[in-house]
Amino acid sequence: MTNRLAEARCVVIKIGSALLVDAKNAELRHHWLSTVCEDIARLRAQGTDVVVVSSGAIALARVRLGLVGRRLRLDEKQAAASVGQIQLAQAWSAALALQNLTAGQLLLTPGDTEDRERHLNARATLRTLLGLGCVPVINENDAIATTEIRFGDNDRLAARVAQMIGADTLVLLSDIDGLYTADPRLDPAAEHLPVIEALTESVMAMGGAPPPGYSSGGMHTKLLAAQIATRAGARMAIASGLSPHPISALLDEGRCSWFLATEDAGSARKRWLVGALQTKGRVTIDHGAVRALLNGSSLLPAGVKEVEGGFAQGDLVVILDEEGHEIGRGLTAYDAEDSRRIAGHRSEDITRCLGHSGRDELIHRDDLVLIR
């Protein structure tokens, strides 16, 4: 059987708080981290570029700041992230240095992946670091986040990073060795799935609800990450990180679940579109418009049944069929108000509806990506 990790050209490894930090005393698991860095050195020696997405900053700072035994307020999470990130970065830098590897740190916010210009800037930085032989270590910039921070929800960030740099492999280290047909802790008949060829609705339903505790992402966010990664042309593995040398275990064909990449991932721009986490509105279209999109056409106003949201021109919107299924995403040529005015009308009627001329398409095919 093909060893998918051994043949990887560029791999992104996501490590959650529950693996890196001992939950009982909020201490870093130094020995475990050193074995991971030895694994990274093994990958680098075979010519594979490696990027790490590491949680753990807030978890490391809780005890030091006396923030234990209760749910933290947003400002407390931000403060803990500010303190813990220093310790986390130092730990990675020191552990990688023992393998003669240089760490580089990037703190990203959702906007850094959602805004196209910032996305390209971050990609250039990461590619330069890799070109210089560094190992970038990335975390969400929780210290300045303005929305609720979720422990362990770096799964999708890791997938977006993989898409951003064109990685061919994403590895999510977890407390479980892959995807099962049901929760194996509750159902002894649950079957392990070694290879998932397509993320069908039945597969997505296996994710269940996020578990409580430090690592709140759970299988659900891992499957969402799989959607982003595989659509961007990267295969993804969910593997256990509980034991030392978890990456070497994968290289030695250890047990895991592999999600296969989509064969035609499209252009870099379209990979960015399909991987976006934040959309500003929804457009429901009729069956005729669905067929036209599947045949490679742009979305014309005549096929639009309903417009939801308060988006601006150029914002990303979700495209739904009449049954409510998402079929694609695209950048709209009109804001929400004008989109509602021209919905259901032929392109030649746009000037009459709006009082001024505009593009014939609501979403041009160059600004649209299908996920069906």
Side-chain angles (χ1 to χ4, degrees):
M1 185 177 68
T2 301
N3 189 319
R4 295 181 175 88
L5 183 57
E7 64 182 18
R9 172 185 51 81
C10 179
V11 59
V12 176
I13 302 170
K14 184 266 179 177
I15 297 170
S17 299
L19 296 177
L20 194 60
V21 181
D22 188 325
K24 293 181 180 179
N25 53 26
E27 290 291 331
L28 192 74
R29 299 175 63 202
H30 288 281
H31 173 68
W32 183 86
L33 176 59
S34 68
T35 70
V36 171
C37 290
E38 290 172 8
D39 292 349
I40 291 173
R42 180 178 171 184
L43 284 172
R44 294 288 295 117
Q46 71 180 31
T48 304
D49 287 332
V50 179
V51 176
V52 174
V53 175
S54 175
S55 303
I58 297 176
L60 282 172
R62 288 175 70 103
V63 170
R64 179 176 297 184
L65 298 179
L67 300 173
V68 295
R70 61 180 175 82
R71 183 179 178 88
L72 302 186
R73 302 190 309 269
L74 177 59
D75 60 328
E76 292 173 327
K77 291 178 181 179
Q78 292 170 321
S82 178
V83 172
Q85 189 59 44
I86 296 175
Q87 185 178 352
L88 184 65
Q90 289 174 338
W92 274 107
S93 181
L96 285 168
L98 291 176
Q99 305 302 320
N100 296 315
L101 296 172
T102 301
Q105 177 182 253
L106 269 78
L107 298 178
L108 299 177
T109 65
D112 295 322
T113 64
E114 303 298 287
D115 179 84
R116 183 64 175 165
E117 183 175 356
R118 290 159 65 185
H119 170 100
L120 293 174
N121 289 337
R123 182 178 71 179
T125 299
L126 285 168
R127 287 182 171 176
T128 300
L129 284 168
L130 292 172
L132 294 170
C134 299
V135 177
V137 179
I138 299 171
N139 195 5
E140 186 172 2
N141 197 353
D142 292 340
I144 63 169
T146 56
T147 56
E148 186 68 19
I149 300 167
R150 297 173 59 197
F151 283 117
D153 195 17
N154 269 351
D155 295 319
R156 288 179 293 172
L157 173 59
R160 281 295 262 166
V161 169
Q163 176 268 317
M164 176 187 290
I165 61 175
D168 54 15
T169 307
L170 170 63
V171 175
L172 304 183
L173 294 180
S174 180
D175 58 358
I176 192 169
D177 57 5
L179 179 65
Y180 287 75
T181 54
D183 190 336
R185 296 167 296 186
L186 304 176
D187 185 354
E191 297 181 11
H192 180 266
L193 302 176
V195 178
I196 296 90
E197 296 185 358
L199 286 161
T200 62
E201 290 184 7
S202 60
V203 170
M204 295 301 296
M206 297 175 191
Y214 278 150
S215 184
S216 65
M219 190 57 68
H220 177 67
T221 59
K222 288 173 176 53
L223 293 181
L224 294 176
Q227 284 186 325
I228 297 169
T230 57
R231 289 170 181 169
R235 54 184 169 251
M236 190 189 93
I238 298 175
S240 174
L242 295 175
S243 299
H245 293 290
I247 301 301
S248 284
L250 269 185
L251 281 169
D252 297 334
E253 301 187 6
R255 185 179 173 99
C256 69
S257 290
W258 280 105
F259 297 78
L260 303 188
T262 300
E263 291 185 6
D264 181 12
S267 67
R269 177 178 173 82
K270 293 203 172 186
R271 292 196 299 270
W272 171 72
L273 285 174
V274 78
L277 306 181
Q278 299 175 340
T279 57
K280 299 299 180 66
R282 310 199 311 173
V283 175
T284 301
I285 64 177
D286 61 29
H287 295 301
V290 171
R291 288 192 298 271
L293 295 188
L294 293 176
N295 288 328
S297 297
S298 300
L299 177 59
L300 302 178
V304 176
K305 303 282 290 183
E306 185 178 3
V307 176
E308 302 174 70
F311 51 86
Q313 180 183 4
D315 279 346
L316 183 65
V317 298
V318 176
I319 304 170
L320 307 173
D321 63 19
E322 293 187 77
E323 288 70 44
H325 300 125
E326 181 178 349
I327 65 166
R329 297 179 176 199
L331 303 176
T332 175
Y334 295 91
D335 62 24
E337 183 178 353
D338 284 350
S339 295
R340 293 187 183 94
R341 289 177 178 173
I342 63 176
H345 291 277
R346 298 172 64 86
S347 296
E348 52 264 33
D349 296 330
I350 290 177
T351 300
R352 177 178 57 80
C353 293
L354 300 181
H356 59 82
S357 61
R359 291 180 58 170
D360 289 345
E361 312 90 2
L362 183 65
I363 301 176
H364 192 275
R365 63 184 180 184
D366 292 342
D367 295 326
L368 181 151
V369 60
L370 300 179
I371 61 174
R372 201 179 245 196

